[in-house]
Amino acid sequence: MFKGKIAVITGGANGIGKCIAECFKENKAEVCIIDKTKGEHYVGDIADKTTLELFADEVIKKYGKVDFLINNALPIMKGIDKCSYEEFEYALKVGVTAPFYLSKLFVPYFTKDACIINISSSRDRMSQPQTESYTAAKGGISALTHALAVSLSGKVRVNSISPGWIDTEYKTYEGADAYQQPAGRVGNPSDIANAVMFLCSDKAGFITGENICIDGGMTKLMIYHGDNGWNLN
């Protein structure tokens, strides 16, 4: 299904992005990665406009088309107490502006049945204290998803995924860490990569503008003091 397809992945050198890249490669797609981490991929900071333009130009010169754009790169997480103006702006550049601009740069080159998948977070709907930069960026990319889906109607399907707790080291958790998720475990990168592959496939051909929260049910669990061992001290 993916043989000969071109998949572009931001932040694809580690964690969830790396797992997504490996899945595409296993399914015979060509993968183009941009990441700040040194490696054989394109190395660059997607917060920089010129870097995005040079990267997009290289992809098009090499392949002439894009089938899948996976906006996965992580913005920084800092809170209102310590996050500077510049840091907050940087988080939005990575988390919202870069996905928008890469989508714009690739519009003339997206193939028929192309897909954009934005990796958001369950933090687009819930928060911990002192996470404003990350949470704002993830809320922004979730909203950007349905806006792009409407603007690119009939040309590109656009969806987003909101991961919950995903352990990129595939550690096995027990006790409360596991059972606070109704699924009974912490997630791992393959849980997200499998959803990306589905959304990019023909099986998801009628899905666009949608957000899928993959968090083991954690955002659906109502918490009351005294229930299920939960106690507020």
Side-chain angles (χ1 to χ4, degrees), residues 60-92:
I60 296 308
K61 281 182 177 178
K62 185 172 183 179
Y63 296 107
K65 67 169 186 171
V66 174
D67 295 283
F68 312 114
L69 170 60
I70 316 300
N71 291 306
N72 165 79
L74 283 174
I76 59 173
M77 183 186 289
K78 297 193 77 172
I80 194 166
D81 285 356
K82 296 183 179 180
C83 186
S84 69
Y85 179 93
E86 291 76 16
E87 288 169 327
F88 191 85
E89 187 176 48
Y90 181 79
L92 294 183

Side-chain angles (χ1 to χ4, degrees), residues 35-49:
D35 199 295
K36 290 197 301 182
T37 303
K38 300 296 183 183
E40 297 180 0
H41 50 268
Y42 193 99
V43 178
D45 187 347
I46 66 169
D48 179 67
K49 178 175 180 283

Side-chain angles (χ1 to χ4, degrees), residues 56-178:
D57 186 60
E58 181 169 298
V59 171
I60 296 308
K61 281 182 177 178
K62 185 172 183 179
Y63 296 107
K65 67 169 186 171
V66 174
D67 295 283
F68 312 114
L69 170 60
I70 316 300
N71 291 306
N72 165 79
L74 283 174
I76 59 173
M77 183 186 289
K78 297 193 77 172
I80 194 166
D81 285 356
K82 296 183 179 180
C83 186
S84 69
Y85 179 93
E86 291 76 16
E87 288 169 327
F88 191 85
E89 187 176 48
Y90 181 79
L92 294 183
K93 284 181 178 180
V94 171
V96 184
T97 306
F100 165 78
Y101 196 47
L102 276 180
S103 299
K104 182 178 178 67
L105 291 171
F106 287 137
V107 163
Y109 306 100
F110 279 122
T111 58
K112 183 179 181 295
D113 300 323
C115 298
I116 297 171
I117 309 296
N118 296 321
I119 305 300
S120 182
S121 168
S122 59
R123 293 173 188 267
D124 63 3
R125 68 205 67 189
M126 61 191 299
S127 293
Q128 290 176 297
Q130 303 302 322
T131 62
E132 280 77 12
S133 66
Y134 185 90
T135 299
K138 291 306 185 181
I141 201 170
S142 289
L144 178 66
T145 296
H146 57 74
L148 286 174
V150 173
S151 294
L152 300 179
S153 174
K155 300 176 183 178
V156 182
R157 288 191 299 106
V158 188
N159 292 290
S160 63
I161 294 172
S162 291
W165 183 0
I166 304 296
D167 189 286
T168 57
E169 296 181 356
Y170 294 85
K171 179 180 175 181
T172 299
Y173 291 81
E174 297 179 351
D177 282 338

